[in-house]
Coordinates of all heavy atoms in Angstrom, one line a residue:
M1 N 0.8 -1.2 0.0 CA 0.0 0.0 0.0 C 0.9 1.3 0.0 O 0.6 2.2 -0.7 CB -0.9 0.0 1.2 CG -1.8 1.1 1.3 SD -3.0 1.1 0.0 CE -3.9 2.6 0.4
I2 N 1.9 1.3 0.8 CA 2.7 2.5 0.9 C 3.5 2.7 -0.4 O 3.7 3.8 -0.8 CB 3.6 2.4 2.2 CG1 4.0 3.9 2.6 CG2 4.9 1.8 1.9 CD1 3.8 4.1 4.0
L3 N 4.0 1.6 -1.0 CA 4.7 1.7 -2.3 C 3.8 2.2 -3.4 O 4.2 3.1 -4.2 CB 5.3 0.4 -2.6 CG 6.3 0.3 -3.7 CD1 7.5 1.2 -3.3 CD2 6.8 -1.1 -4.0
Q4 N 2.5 1.8 -3.4 CA 1.6 2.3 -4.3 C 1.4 3.8 -4.2 O 1.3 4.6 -5.1 CB 0.3 1.6 -4.2 CG -0.8 2.0 -5.2 CD -2.1 1.2 -5.0 OE1 -2.2 0.5 -4.0 NE2 -3.0 1.4 -5.9
T5 N 1.3 4.3 -2.9 CA 1.1 5.7 -2.6 C 2.3 6.5 -3.1 O 2.2 7.6 -3.7 CB 0.9 5.9 -1.1 OG1 -0.2 5.2 -0.7 CG2 0.7 7.4 -0.8
V6 N 3.5 6.0 -2.9 CA 4.7 6.7 -3.4 C 4.7 6.8 -4.9 O 5.0 7.9 -5.4 CB 6.0 5.9 -2.9 CG1 7.2 6.5 -3.6 CG2 6.1 6.0 -1.4
F7 N 4.4 5.7 -5.6 CA 4.4 5.7 -7.0 C 3.3 6.6 -7.7 O 3.5 7.2 -8.7 CB 4.4 4.3 -7.6 CG 5.7 3.6 -7.5 CD1 5.8 2.4 -6.9 CD2 6.9 4.1 -8.1 CE1 7.1 1.7 -6.8 CE2 8.1 3.5 -8.1 CZ 8.2 2.3 -7.4
Q8 N 2.2 6.6 -7.0 CA 1.0 7.3 -7.6 C 1.0 8.8 -7.3 O 0.4 9.6 -8.0 CB -0.3 6.7 -7.2 CG -0.5 5.3 -7.9 CD -1.9 4.8 -7.5 OE1 -2.6 5.3 -6.6 NE2 -2.3 3.7 -8.2
T9 N 1.6 9.2 -6.1 CA 1.5 10.6 -5.8 C 2.8 11.3 -5.6 O 3.0 12.4 -6.1 CB 0.7 10.7 -4.4 OG1 1.4 9.9 -3.4 CG2 -0.7 10.3 -4.6
W10 N 3.7 10.7 -4.9 CA 5.0 11.4 -4.6 C 6.0 11.3 -5.7 O 6.7 12.3 -5.9 CB 5.6 10.9 -3.3 CG 4.8 11.3 -2.1 CD1 4.1 10.4 -1.3 CD2 4.6 12.6 -1.6 NE1 3.4 11.2 -0.4 CE2 3.7 12.5 -0.5 CE3 5.0 13.8 -2.0 CZ2 3.3 13.6 0.2 CZ3 4.6 14.9 -1.3 CH2 3.8 14.8 -0.2
L11 N 6.0 10.2 -6.5 CA 6.9 10.2 -7.6 C 6.6 11.2 -8.7 O 7.6 11.9 -9.1 CB 7.0 8.8 -8.2 CG 8.2 8.4 -9.0 CD1 9.4 8.5 -8.2 CD2 8.0 7.0 -9.5
P12 N 5.4 11.4 -9.1 CA 5.1 12.5 -10.0 C 5.4 13.9 -9.4 O 5.9 14.8 -10.2 CB 3.6 12.4 -10.3 CG 3.3 11.0 -10.0 CD 4.2 10.6 -8.9
F13 N 5.2 14.1 -8.2 CA 5.5 15.3 -7.5 C 7.0 15.6 -7.6 O 7.4 16.7 -7.9 CB 5.0 15.3 -6.0 CG 5.5 16.5 -5.2 CD1 4.8 17.7 -5.3 CD2 6.6 16.3 -4.4 CE1 5.2 18.7 -4.5 CE2 7.0 17.4 -3.6 CZ 6.3 18.6 -3.7
I14 N 7.8 14.6 -7.2 CA 9.2 14.7 -7.3 C 9.7 15.0 -8.7 O 10.5 15.9 -8.9 CB 9.9 13.5 -6.7 CG1 9.6 13.4 -5.2 CG2 11.4 13.5 -6.9 CD1 10.0 12.1 -4.5
Y15 N 9.2 14.2 -9.6 CA 9.6 14.4 -11.0 C 9.2 15.9 -11.5 O 10.0 16.5 -12.1 CB 8.8 13.4 -11.9 CG 9.0 13.6 -13.4 CD1 10.2 13.2 -14.0 CD2 8.1 14.3 -14.2 CE1 10.4 13.5 -15.4 CE2 8.3 14.5 -15.5 CZ 9.4 14.1 -16.1 OH 9.6 14.3 -17.4
L16 N 8.0 16.3 -11.2 CA 7.6 17.6 -11.6 C 8.5 18.7 -11.1 O 8.9 19.6 -11.9 CB 6.1 17.9 -11.1 CG 5.5 19.3 -11.3 CD1 5.3 19.4 -12.8 CD2 4.3 19.4 -10.6
Y17 N 8.9 18.7 -9.8 CA 9.6 19.8 -9.3 C 11.2 19.6 -9.5 O 11.9 20.6 -9.4 CB 9.3 20.0 -7.8 CG 7.9 20.6 -7.7 CD1 6.8 19.9 -7.4 CD2 7.8 22.0 -8.0 CE1 5.5 20.5 -7.3 CE2 6.5 22.6 -7.9 CZ 5.4 21.8 -7.6 OH 4.2 22.4 -7.6
V18 N 11.6 18.4 -9.7 CA 13.0 18.2 -10.1 C 13.3 18.6 -11.5 O 14.2 19.4 -11.8 CB 13.5 16.8 -9.7 CG1 14.9 16.5 -10.3 CG2 13.5 16.5 -8.2
V19 N 12.5 18.0 -12.4 CA 12.7 18.3 -13.9 C 12.3 19.7 -14.1 O 13.1 20.5 -14.8 CB 12.0 17.3 -14.7 CG1 12.0 17.7 -16.2 CG2 12.5 15.9 -14.6
G20 N 11.2 20.2 -13.6 CA 10.8 21.6 -13.8 C 11.8 22.5 -13.1 O 12.0 23.6 -13.7
G21 N 12.3 22.1 -12.0 CA 13.3 22.9 -11.3 C 14.6 23.1 -12.1 O 15.2 24.2 -12.1
I22 N 15.0 22.0 -12.8 CA 16.2 22.1 -13.6 C 16.0 23.2 -14.7 O 16.8 24.0 -14.9 CB 16.5 20.8 -14.2 CG1 17.0 19.8 -13.1 CG2 17.5 20.9 -15.3 CD1 17.2 18.4 -13.6
F23 N 14.8 23.2 -15.3 CA 14.5 24.2 -16.4 C 14.4 25.5 -15.8 O 14.9 26.5 -16.3 CB 13.3 23.8 -17.1 CG 13.5 22.7 -18.1 CD1 13.1 21.4 -17.9 CD2 14.1 22.9 -19.3 CE1 13.3 20.4 -18.8 CE2 14.3 21.9 -20.3 CZ 13.9 20.6 -20.0
F24 N 13.7 25.6 -14.6 CA 13.5 26.9 -14.0 C 14.8 27.5 -13.5 O 15.1 28.7 -13.8 CB 12.6 26.8 -12.8 CG 12.4 28.1 -12.0 CD1 11.6 29.1 -12.5 CD2 13.1 28.2 -10.8 CE1 11.5 30.3 -11.7 CE2 13.0 29.4 -10.1 CZ 12.2 30.4 -10.5
F25 N 15.6 26.8 -12.8 CA 16.9 27.3 -12.3 C 17.9 27.6 -13.4 O 18.7 28.5 -13.3 CB 17.5 26.4 -11.2 CG 16.7 26.4 -9.9 CD1 15.9 25.3 -9.5 CD2 16.6 27.6 -9.2 CE1 15.2 25.4 -8.4 CE2 15.8 27.6 -8.0 CZ 15.1 26.5 -7.6
S26 N 17.9 26.7 -14.4 CA 18.9 27.0 -15.5 C 18.4 28.3 -16.3 O 19.2 29.1 -16.7 CB 19.0 25.8 -16.5 OG 17.8 25.5 -17.1
G27 N 17.1 28.5 -16.4 CA 16.6 29.7 -17.0 C 16.9 30.9 -16.2 O 17.3 32.0 -16.7
M28 N 16.7 30.8 -14.9 CA 17.1 31.9 -14.0 C 18.6 32.2 -14.1 O 19.0 33.4 -14.1 CB 16.7 31.6 -12.6 CG 15.2 31.7 -12.3 SD 14.4 33.2 -12.7 CE 15.2 34.3 -11.4
Y29 N 19.4 31.2 -14.2 CA 20.8 31.4 -14.3 C 21.2 32.2 -15.6 O 21.9 33.1 -15.6 CB 21.6 30.1 -14.3 CG 23.0 30.2 -14.5 CD1 23.9 30.5 -13.5 CD2 23.6 29.9 -15.8 CE1 25.3 30.6 -13.7 CE2 25.0 30.0 -16.0 CZ 25.8 30.3 -14.9 OH 27.1 30.4 -15.1
I30 N 20.5 31.8 -16.7 CA 20.7 32.4 -18.0 C 20.3 33.9 -17.9 O 20.9 34.8 -18.4 CB 20.0 31.7 -19.1 CG1 20.7 30.3 -19.3 CG2 20.0 32.5 -20.4 CD1 20.0 29.4 -20.2
I31 N 19.1 34.1 -17.3 CA 18.5 35.4 -17.3 C 19.4 36.4 -16.4 O 19.7 37.5 -16.8 CB 17.1 35.4 -16.6 CG1 16.1 34.8 -17.6 CG2 16.6 36.8 -16.2 CD1 14.8 34.4 -17.0
I32 N 20.0 35.9 -15.3 CA 20.8 36.7 -14.5 C 22.2 36.9 -15.2 O 22.7 38.0 -15.2 CB 21.0 36.1 -13.1 CG1 19.6 36.2 -12.4 CG2 22.1 36.7 -12.3 CD1 19.6 35.4 -11.1
K33 N 22.8 35.8 -15.7 CA 24.1 36.0 -16.4 C 24.0 36.9 -17.6 O 25.0 37.6 -17.9 CB 24.6 34.6 -16.8 CG 25.2 33.8 -15.6 CD 26.4 34.6 -15.1 CE 27.1 33.8 -14.0 NZ 28.2 34.5 -13.4
S34 N 22.9 36.9 -18.3 CA 22.8 37.7 -19.5 C 22.6 39.2 -19.2 O 22.7 40.1 -20.0 CB 21.7 37.3 -20.4 OG 20.4 37.5 -19.8
G35 N 22.2 39.5 -17.9 CA 22.0 40.8 -17.5 C 20.6 41.3 -17.6 O 20.3 42.5 -17.4
S36 N 19.7 40.4 -18.0 CA 18.3 40.8 -18.1 C 17.7 41.1 -16.8 O 16.8 42.0 -16.7 CB 17.5 39.7 -18.7 OG 17.9 39.4 -20.1
L37 N 18.1 40.4 -15.7 CA 17.8 40.8 -14.4 C 19.1 41.0 -13.6 O 19.9 40.1 -13.5 CB 17.0 39.6 -13.7 CG 15.5 39.6 -13.9 CD1 14.9 38.4 -13.2 CD2 14.8 40.8 -13.5
D38 N 19.3 42.2 -13.2 CA 20.5 42.6 -12.5 C 20.3 42.6 -11.0 O 19.5 43.4 -10.5 CB 21.0 44.0 -13.0 CG 22.3 44.4 -12.4 OD1 23.0 43.5 -11.8 OD2 22.7 45.5 -12.6
P39 N 20.9 41.7 -10.2 CA 20.6 41.6 -8.8 C 21.0 42.9 -8.0 O 20.7 43.0 -6.9 CB 21.4 40.4 -8.3 CG 21.8 39.7 -9.5 CD 21.7 40.6 -10.7
K40 N 21.8 43.8 -8.7 CA 22.2 45.0 -8.0 C 21.1 46.1 -8.0 O 21.2 47.0 -7.2 CB 23.5 45.5 -8.7 CG 24.7 44.6 -8.5 CD 25.9 45.0 -9.3 CE 26.9 44.0 -9.2 NZ 27.9 44.1 -10.3
K41 N 20.2 45.9 -8.9 CA 19.1 46.9 -9.0 C 18.0 46.5 -8.1 O 17.6 45.3 -8.0 CB 18.6 47.0 -10.5 CG 19.6 47.6 -11.4 CD 19.1 47.7 -12.8 CE 20.1 48.3 -13.7 NZ 19.6 48.4 -15.1
R42 N 17.4 47.5 -7.5 CA 16.4 47.2 -6.4 C 15.1 46.5 -7.0 O 14.6 45.5 -6.5 CB 16.0 48.5 -5.8 CG 15.1 48.3 -4.6 CD 14.9 49.7 -3.9 NE 13.9 49.5 -2.8 CZ 13.1 50.4 -2.4 NH1 13.2 51.6 -2.9 NH2 12.3 50.2 -1.4
K43 N 14.6 47.0 -8.1 CA 13.4 46.4 -8.8 C 13.7 45.0 -9.3 O 12.8 44.1 -9.2 CB 12.9 47.3 -9.9 CG 12.2 48.5 -9.5 CD 10.8 48.3 -9.6 CE 10.1 49.6 -9.5 NZ 8.7 49.5 -9.3
H44 N 14.9 44.8 -9.8 CA 15.2 43.5 -10.3 C 15.4 42.5 -9.2 O 15.0 41.3 -9.3 CB 16.5 43.6 -11.1 CG 16.3 44.3 -12.4 ND1 17.2 44.2 -13.5 CD2 15.4 45.3 -12.9 CE1 16.8 44.9 -14.5 NE2 15.8 45.6 -14.1
K45 N 15.9 43.0 -8.1 CA 16.1 42.1 -6.9 C 14.7 41.6 -6.4 O 14.5 40.5 -6.1 CB 16.8 42.8 -5.8 CG 17.3 41.9 -4.7 CD 18.0 42.7 -3.6 CE 19.4 43.0 -4.1 NZ 20.2 43.6 -3.0
L46 N 13.7 42.5 -6.5 CA 12.4 42.2 -6.1 C 11.8 41.1 -7.0 O 11.2 40.1 -6.5 CB 11.5 43.4 -6.1 CG 10.0 43.2 -6.0 CD1 9.7 42.8 -4.5 CD2 9.2 44.4 -6.4
W47 N 12.0 41.2 -8.3 CA 11.5 40.2 -9.3 C 12.2 38.9 -9.1 O 11.6 37.9 -9.3 CB 11.6 40.8 -10.7 CG 10.4 41.7 -11.0 CD1 10.5 43.0 -11.1 CD2 9.1 41.3 -11.1 NE1 9.2 43.5 -11.3 CE2 8.3 42.5 -11.3 CE3 8.4 40.1 -11.0 CZ2 6.9 42.5 -11.4 CZ3 7.0 40.1 -11.1 CH2 6.3 41.3 -11.4
I48 N 13.5 38.9 -8.8 CA 14.2 37.7 -8.6 C 13.6 37.0 -7.3 O 13.3 35.7 -7.4 CB 15.7 37.9 -8.4 CG1 16.3 38.3 -9.7 CG2 16.4 36.7 -7.8 CD1 17.7 38.8 -9.6
K49 N 13.3 37.7 -6.3 CA 12.7 37.2 -5.1 C 11.3 36.6 -5.4 O 10.9 35.6 -4.9 CB 12.6 38.2 -4.0 CG 13.9 38.5 -3.4 CD 13.8 39.6 -2.3 CE 15.1 40.0 -1.8 NZ 15.0 41.1 -0.8
V50 N 10.5 37.4 -6.2 CA 9.2 36.9 -6.6 C 9.2 35.6 -7.4 O 8.4 34.7 -7.1 CB 8.4 38.0 -7.4 CG1 7.2 37.5 -8.1 CG2 8.1 39.2 -6.5
L51 N 10.1 35.5 -8.3 CA 10.2 34.3 -9.1 C 10.6 33.1 -8.3 O 10.0 32.0 -8.4 CB 11.2 34.5 -10.3 CG 10.7 35.5 -11.4 CD1 11.8 35.9 -12.3 CD2 9.5 34.8 -12.2
F52 N 11.7 33.2 -7.5 CA 12.1 32.1 -6.6 C 11.0 31.8 -5.6 O 10.7 30.7 -5.3 CB 13.4 32.4 -6.0 CG 14.6 32.2 -6.9 CD1 15.4 33.3 -7.3 CD2 15.0 31.0 -7.3 CE1 16.4 33.1 -8.1 CE2 16.0 30.8 -8.1 CZ 16.8 31.9 -8.5
G53 N 10.4 32.9 -5.0 CA 9.4 32.7 -4.0 C 8.2 32.0 -4.6 O 7.6 31.1 -4.0
G54 N 7.8 32.3 -5.8 CA 6.7 31.7 -6.5 C 6.9 30.2 -6.7 O 6.1 29.3 -6.5
Y55 N 8.2 29.8 -7.1 CA 8.5 28.4 -7.3 C 8.3 27.6 -6.0 O 7.7 26.6 -6.0 CB 9.9 28.3 -7.9 CG 10.4 26.9 -8.1 CD1 10.0 26.2 -9.2 CD2 11.1 26.2 -7.1 CE1 10.4 24.8 -9.3 CE2 11.5 24.9 -7.2 CZ 11.2 24.2 -8.4 OH 11.6 22.9 -8.5
F56 N 8.9 28.2 -5.0 CA 8.9 27.4 -3.7 C 7.5 27.5 -3.1 O 7.1 26.5 -2.4 CB 10.0 27.9 -2.8 CG 11.3 27.5 -3.2 CD1 12.2 28.4 -3.7 CD2 11.7 26.2 -3.1 CE1 13.5 28.1 -4.1 CE2 13.0 25.8 -3.5 CZ 13.9 26.7 -4.0
F57 N 6.8 28.6 -3.3 CA 5.4 28.6 -2.8 C 4.5 27.5 -3.4 O 3.8 26.8 -2.7 CB 4.8 30.0 -3.1 CG 3.3 30.1 -2.8 CD1 2.9 30.2 -1.5 CD2 2.4 30.0 -3.8 CE1 1.5 30.3 -1.2 CE2 1.0 30.1 -3.6 CZ 0.6 30.2 -2.2
F58 N 4.6 27.4 -4.7 CA 3.8 26.3 -5.3 C 4.3 24.9 -5.0 O 3.5 24.0 -4.9 CB 3.7 26.6 -6.9 CG 2.7 27.6 -7.2 CD1 3.2 28.9 -7.6 CD2 1.4 27.4 -7.1 CE1 2.3 29.9 -7.9 CE2 0.5 28.4 -7.4 CZ 0.9 29.6 -7.8
L59 N 5.6 24.8 -4.8 CA 6.1 23.5 -4.4 C 5.5 23.1 -3.0 O 5.0 22.0 -2.8 CB 7.6 23.5 -4.3 CG 8.4 22.3 -3.9 CD1 9.7 22.2 -4.7 CD2 8.7 22.1 -2.5
F60 N 5.6 24.0 -2.1 CA 5.0 23.7 -0.7 C 3.5 23.6 -0.7 O 3.0 22.8 0.0 CB 5.5 24.8 0.3 CG 7.0 24.7 0.6 CD1 7.8 25.8 0.4 CD2 7.5 23.5 1.0 CE1 9.2 25.7 0.6 CE2 8.9 23.4 1.3 CZ 9.7 24.5 1.1
L61 N 2.8 24.4 -1.5 CA 1.4 24.3 -1.6 C 1.0 23.0 -2.2 O 0.0 22.3 -1.7 CB 0.8 25.5 -2.5 CG -0.7 25.5 -2.7 CD1 -1.4 25.8 -1.4 CD2 -1.0 26.5 -3.7
H62 N 1.6 22.6 -3.2 CA 1.3 21.3 -3.9 C 1.6 20.1 -2.9 O 0.8 19.2 -2.7 CB 2.2 21.1 -5.1 CG 1.8 20.0 -6.0 ND1 2.5 19.7 -7.2 CD2 0.9 19.0 -5.9 CE1 2.0 18.7 -7.7 NE2 1.0 18.2 -6.9
A63 N 2.7 20.2 -2.1 CA 3.0 19.2 -1.1 C 2.0 19.2 0.0 O 1.5 18.1 0.4 CB 4.4 19.4 -0.6
F64 N 1.6 20.3 0.4 CA 0.6 20.4 1.5 C -0.8 19.8 1.0 O -1.4 19.1 1.8 CB 0.4 21.9 1.9 CG -0.7 22.1 2.9 CD1 -0.6 21.7 4.2 CD2 -2.0 22.7 2.4 CE1 -1.6 21.9 5.1 CE2 -3.0 22.8 3.3 CZ -2.8 22.5 4.7
M65 N -1.1 20.1 -0.2 CA -2.4 19.5 -0.7 C -2.3 18.0 -0.9 O -3.3 17.3 -0.6 CB -2.7 20.2 -2.1 CG -3.1 21.6 -2.0 SD -4.5 21.9 -1.0 CE -4.8 23.6 -1.2
I66 N -1.2 17.5 -1.3 CA -1.0 16.0 -1.4 C -1.1 15.4 0.0 O -1.8 14.4 0.3 CB 0.3 15.7 -2.0 CG1 0.2 16.0 -3.5 CG2 0.6 14.2 -1.9 CD1 1.5 15.8 -4.2
I67 N -0.4 16.0 1.0 CA -0.4 15.5 2.4 C -1.9 15.6 2.9 O -2.3 14.7 3.6 CB 0.6 16.3 3.2 CG1 2.0 15.9 2.8 CG2 0.4 16.0 4.7 CD1 3.0 16.8 3.4
S68 N -2.5 16.7 2.7 CA -3.9 16.8 3.2 C -4.8 15.8 2.6 O -5.7 15.2 3.3 CB -4.5 18.2 2.8 OG -3.7 19.2 3.4
A69 N -4.7 15.5 1.3 CA -5.6 14.6 0.6 C -5.3 13.1 1.1 O -6.2 12.3 1.2 CB -5.4 14.7 -0.9
L70 N -4.0 12.8 1.4 CA -3.7 11.5 1.7 C -3.8 11.2 3.2 O -4.2 10.0 3.6 CB -2.2 11.2 1.3 CG -1.9 11.1 -0.2 CD1 -0.5 10.9 -0.4 CD2 -2.7 9.9 -0.8
Y71 N -3.5 12.1 4.0 CA -3.3 11.7 5.4 C -4.3 12.4 6.4 O -4.3 12.1 7.6 CB -1.9 12.0 5.9 CG -0.9 11.3 5.0 CD1 0.0 12.1 4.2 CD2 -0.8 10.0 5.0 CE1 0.9 11.4 3.4 CE2 0.1 9.3 4.1 CZ 1.0 10.1 3.3 OH 1.9 9.4 2.5
L72 N -5.1 13.4 5.9 CA -6.0 14.1 6.8 C -7.4 13.7 6.6 O -7.8 13.2 5.6 CB -5.9 15.6 6.7 CG -4.5 16.2 7.1 CD1 -4.5 17.7 6.9 CD2 -4.1 15.9 8.5

């Protein structure tokens, strides 16, 4: 039963945020290295925080919803 839960819920979650994270973080690296977002500028620093915060917000929200559905 526990193995089935891992394969049906947690494995897709891990895949989504690992593979998606690779694309997201490599994209952010390219954006920052190209100078499109300059961490020295105040407005740009805000947008960097918003983008990273959004990624982690949805990661934790998704995990919370899975835990709520399975265990509560």
Side-chain angles (χ1 to χ4, degrees):
M1 181 67 180
I2 206 135
L3 194 58
Q4 183 181 7
T5 303
V6 169
F7 281 122
Q8 288 183 351
T9 56
W10 291 111
L11 200 59
F13 171 81
I14 292 167
Y15 174 79
L16 176 68
Y17 287 101
V18 168
V19 173
I22 290 169
F23 283 103
F24 174 77
F25 289 111
S26 62
M28 287 300 294
Y29 177 78
I30 292 169
I31 289 169
I32 291 171
K33 281 296 184 184
S34 71
S36 297
L37 278 177
D38 185 9
K40 295 173 187 162
K41 294 182 180 176
R42 188 172 177 210
K43 284 260 191 194
H44 291 203
K45 191 180 286 190
L46 171 72
W47 279 109
I48 292 170
K49 289 179 185 177
V50 167
L51 290 167
F52 281 111
Y55 177 82
F56 288 108
F57 171 76
F58 282 106
L59 183 144
F60 290 123
L61 179 67
H62 192 177
F64 175 74
M65 292 298 185
I66 290 173
I67 290 168
S68 297
L70 289 176
Y71 305 113
L72 297 181

